[in-house]
Amino acid sequence: MAMRPSAPTGAEPAPADPGTRTSVMMLSAVVLLVLAVGLFGGRHDASSDTARLPPPVGQAAPAAPPPPPAARTTPAAPAGKHLPRSRPVRLLIPKISVDAPFTDLVIGPTGQLQPPPANDTNLVGWHAAGASPGEAGTAIIAGHVDTKTSAAVFVGLSQLKKGDAFSVARADRHTASFVVDSVEKFDKDNFPNERVYGDTPQAQVRLITCAGSYDRSAKDYTENLVVFAHLV
């Protein structure tokens, strides 16, 4: 039985200047809005290190324009309960026995969000340039549903229901607790980018994985499963 990997190490990110923080969030939101979620199932033939999330059908991923000048100096006021920025350490979902460390997910050179490595079945990723879990904004957490050889960390994600609880242990030693608002499936060819990725003044989280049937010709799943949740 393979041992679970330990939590990744790394220096705690410094608190962002409000203007800089807003610029990053606006830029990240623009980039994310051109993405359709892709390979969060690991049964593709390409190396897991080169798997990428494809842009919407028929589109190339355009370069993100800079945020408008006003956005650089006028951050949106946070609404409701929220925590300061801090790196996530572990995702804990008791109902489906998830206890997994985090890795950073970044936007690659083609403007696409890279998924977590497919060779680690107990690993989740977060969009490190976006909101951290518990911080005001929309934090993105992604994980594989399976690999070529076995089930993966988010194989049971569809079992979550409205009202279920989960938490994120953070590097600042605070725990961000969340409650599920809804669990929904979306066809990858008609993925609601703005609804899923759009920034919010509240502290919210999206848990994302693959769903639907596996298309062997496309080497991809036909749908994405998204869990919408908020900080409590």
Side-chain angles (χ1 to χ4, degrees), residues 8-166:
T9 59
E12 173 71 2
D17 172 78
T20 303
R21 165 75 179 133
T22 302
S23 298
V24 171
M25 289 300 296
M26 290 292 293
L27 183 60
S28 299
V30 171
V31 174
L32 285 171
L33 288 179
V34 303
L35 300 179
V37 181
L39 295 170
F40 290 133
R43 292 194 287 170
H44 49 85
D45 289 341
S47 164
S48 62
D49 292 334
T50 58
R52 299 292 184 269
L53 308 187
V57 174
Q59 296 183 21
R72 300 179 188 274
T73 56
T74 311
K81 182 177 180 179
H82 61 279
L83 299 172
R85 183 170 181 79
S86 180
R87 184 181 303 279
V89 176
R90 295 194 81 85
L91 175 65
L92 305 166
I93 313 178
K95 182 175 180 178
I96 57 174
S97 301
V98 168
D99 180 353
F102 279 87
T103 188
D104 292 0
L105 301 182
V106 299
I107 301 295
T110 60
Q112 298 170 315
L113 185 67
Q114 299 177 350
N119 59 352
D120 191 333
T121 60
N122 191 54
L123 182 69
V124 294
W126 71 296
H127 179 222
S132 61
E135 185 180 13
T138 303
I140 304 299
I141 299 175
H144 290 290
V145 68
D146 65 7
T147 69
K148 288 183 178 180
T149 58
S150 68
V153 62
F154 275 172
V155 67
L157 199 64
S158 63
Q159 299 175 32
L160 295 184
K161 306 295 182 186
K162 181 177 180 179
D164 286 340
F166 64 92

Side-chain angles (χ1 to χ4, degrees), residues 205-220:
V205 160
R206 310 288 186 256
L207 307 179
I208 306 176
T209 195
C210 277
S213 59
Y214 185 75
D215 185 336
R216 294 186 179 278
S217 61
K219 299 174 183 175
D220 195 6

Side-chain angles (χ1 to χ4, degrees), residues 17 61 77 97 109 116 174 189 224:
D17 172 78
S97 301
H174 286 92
D189 291 337
N224 280 115

